[in-house]
Amino acid sequence: MLQSQKILNSSPQILPPTPSPKIHPLVQNFPTSRSLPSPKQTCNLSRRELTLRGNSSLLLLWGSLVLEPFNLSRARADELPNADKNEQEQNCANKDPTKRVFLDISIDGKSAGRIVIGLYGDSAPAGAARFSSLVSGTAGISYRRKEFIKIMPNYVQHGGVRSYGVDAELARRSGSNLEIERLMEEWKTNNERCPGTKNLAGTVGIIVRDPSKPPPKIKLVARQGKLEIDQEEVGKDPNGTEFVIATKDSPELDASSLVVGRVLEGMEVAEKIGEVKTVQENTGSPYFRVAKLIGDKRAVVAERGFNRPYSKVLVTNCGLME
């Protein structure tokens, strides 16, 4: 009885099974190991696509090698016109005067000094001859005792001589011609030959056209019982005697002025003229706009007076220099 009891005590005890830990559903769905991509997945291109892409890259490389000489020749061709253009602009800017003239200026009766001008007899022969004849008086009329009529921020303008009255009669007696056909042709030629701004600071030019002049009006006229189309000129063209001296670069003058020379001495006199007080412009006034729109002559007269100097600026003496 005792022995059986010892055997029972030495036999191992059977433990109850331990419950397995519970895993959270979020942790349970998390992948334990990252699967590496296979080589087939890394290269999804087929042999046909690889061949096409390789051929296209070879074609691009071959095309760049073939077109490179053409690009170089094209670049050289582009450089040649630029070089010719720079040389042409340099020739237009560097002109040698062939004749010298002078203008003695007075402001309100007081001497302001002398302006010496060099004329371009080679590049503008007609314009230089016209200016020289008016300065020397060989045309029967001259700039002597004539006024400056307009002073702008970039230039000053002389009124020239009149194409009617005493000036026109004196010009007719001396056989002078104040027509501007040759001056217009010369202006067109210089504009085509020399691009860019022609009326630079210190240049002297003759007014040969009015770009603000409206086109002629077309009207029907009865002549000998028949209706004919006629053109009525509005306003008058310049007579080719007014001149301007540019105190600063004035590209706005290129449409109306033929450059005939430049100031050699006395630029400070021209700048002194530019400092004279003038009549203020009133073109922004609504009354002026309406008056000009309906063709009121008072607006035209008022516009002529804009930028006129209050002081009397005269050419007291002028002539040729040896």
Side-chain angles (χ1 to χ4, degrees):
M1 196 67 180
L2 291 173
Q3 190 177 358
S4 63
Q5 187 177 3
K6 287 180 182 179
I7 292 170
L8 292 173
N9 290 336
S10 61
S11 60
Q13 295 181 357
I14 299 172
L15 298 175
T18 57
S20 60
K22 293 182 179 180
I23 300 175
H24 197 274
L26 293 176
V27 179
Q28 191 174 6
N29 295 330
F30 191 83
T32 55
S33 64
R34 185 176 183 180
S35 59
L36 295 174
S38 63
K40 291 183 178 180
Q41 292 177 349
T42 56
C43 184
N44 292 326
L45 299 176
S46 63
R47 289 183 180 180
R48 183 174 178 276
E49 292 176 344
L50 286 173
T51 305
L52 291 175
R53 295 195 181 189
N55 291 338
S56 61
S57 61
L58 288 175
L59 286 173
L60 288 174
L61 179 61
W62 178 79
S64 62
L65 294 175
V66 171
L67 293 176
E68 186 175 2
F70 294 99
N71 293 332
L72 290 174
S73 61
R74 185 177 178 182
R76 290 173 184 172
D78 292 340
E79 289 176 0
L80 289 176
N82 291 333
D84 295 341
K85 185 178 179 181
N86 293 334
E87 184 179 357
Q88 188 177 14
E89 289 180 356
Q90 188 175 4
N91 294 334
C92 292
N94 299 329
K95 297 177 182 177
D96 296 326
T98 58
K99 189 182 293 185
R100 298 200 309 164
V101 299
F102 72 91
L103 302 172
D104 290 336
I105 308 297
S106 70
I107 301 175
D108 281 340
K110 296 180 181 179
S111 175
R114 170 172 288 189
I115 301 175
V116 178
I117 299 171
L119 300 179
Y120 300 145
D122 294 333
S123 60
R130 171 67 63 87
F131 194 86
S132 175
S133 64
L134 290 171
V135 167
S136 62
T138 56
I141 49 179
S142 73
Y143 290 132
R144 192 178 290 110
R145 307 303 302 173
K146 299 294 190 298
E147 300 181 46
F148 282 83
I149 60 171
K150 183 182 290 187
I151 297 176
M152 301 295 288
N154 294 340
Y155 63 90
V156 295
Q157 180 175 340
H158 189 271
V161 299
R162 293 173 295 182
S163 55
Y164 57 90
V166 177
D167 290 342
E169 182 64 22
L170 291 174
R172 187 184 62 80
R173 289 180 182 179
S174 63
S176 299
N177 186 5
L178 296 181
E179 296 180 355
I180 61 171
E181 282 75 13
R182 289 186 59 195
L183 300 180
M184 282 292 298
E185 293 176 1
E186 202 165 74
W187 171 80
K188 291 178 182 178
T189 303
N190 287 342
N191 276 353
E192 294 173 358
R193 185 182 60 190
C194 297
T197 303
K198 269 73 69 178
N199 289 268
L200 302 173
T203 56
V204 180
I206 294 178
I207 302 295
V208 297
R209 63 188 295 268
D210 184 8
S212 63
K213 179 184 175 182
K217 292 182 179 179
I218 299 176
K219 60 180 182 179
L220 289 175
V221 180
R223 291 192 180 99
Q224 297 179 356
K226 295 181 180 179
L227 289 176
E228 297 180 0
I229 298 176
D230 194 7
Q231 292 184 351
E232 180 184 1
E233 292 290 334
V234 181
K236 295 182 179 180
D237 291 319
N239 59 6
T241 62
E242 301 178 23
F243 70 89
V244 291
I245 301 176
T247 55
K248 299 177 183 177
D249 291 352
S250 307
E252 66 272 16
L253 289 175
D254 291 342
S256 59
S257 170
L258 168 65
V259 176
V260 298
R262 71 171 185 268
V263 176
L264 302 178
E265 300 174 15
M267 192 63 194
E268 67 278 359
V269 180
E271 293 174 352
K272 192 182 296 183
I273 298 173
E275 294 174 357
V276 174
K277 291 185 177 181
T278 60
V279 178
Q280 279 189 331
E281 282 192 18
N282 198 23
T283 54
S285 171
Y287 301 104
F288 175 81
R289 291 181 181 178
V290 172
K292 191 173 181 181
L293 185 64
I294 62 177
D296 194 334
K297 292 183 178 180
R298 291 175 294 180
V300 178
V301 174
E303 192 173 16
R304 290 175 184 171
F306 293 156
N307 300 304
R308 278 185 174 268
Y310 284 115
S311 303
K312 199 166 189 175
V313 184
L314 288 177
V315 176
T316 56
N317 195 15
C318 54
L320 301 177
M321 298 182 70
E322 297 294 336

